[in-house]
Amino acid sequence: MSEPSTRLGLALPVGTDTVNRADYRENLEKIDAGAALKTDLDTHDGSGGDAHAVATAAAAGFMSAADKAKMDGTIRDYILIVDEKAA
């Protein structure tokens, strides 16, 4: 007798159970129904747009363009310092 998995409710064989073809097919159908396709991810709200809020000191969010530029500069400066020390 199988028991359901915690997250997706897939039929899991227990102990010395043999794998049941019907359970296996049902598991695949559940996975297929719940899987996101690349097109789903490419067309979600905010993909390439501004639907997501920018992070602030008071609220979590996505990084602003200015913060990204600062981060890139910090990383570039760090790499230069490390390279100089290696030379």
Side-chain angles (χ1 to χ4, degrees):
M1 180 78 181
S2 63
E3 61 183 39
S5 66
T6 307
R7 187 158 171 237
L8 297 176
L10 302 177
L12 301 175
V14 178
T16 59
D17 290 350
T18 57
V19 177
N20 179 309
R21 272 182 94 77
D23 286 346
Y24 182 74
R25 181 176 174 82
E26 185 180 334
N27 285 345
L28 292 177
E29 292 289 341
K30 286 179 183 178
I31 292 168
D32 187 59
L37 302 174
K38 183 177 183 323
T39 54
D40 297 332
L41 302 176
D42 289 342
T43 59
H44 82 281
D45 286 343
S47 179
D50 60 358
H52 302 291
V54 174
T56 68
F62 285 85
M63 190 180 299
S64 69
D67 288 343
K68 174 71 170 122
K70 280 189 221 173
M71 179 78 76
D72 288 346
T74 301
I75 292 169
R76 184 185 59 248
D77 293 345
Y78 177 76
I79 291 169
L80 290 173
I81 293 168
V82 170
D83 286 346
E84 288 172 4
K85 287 183 179 180

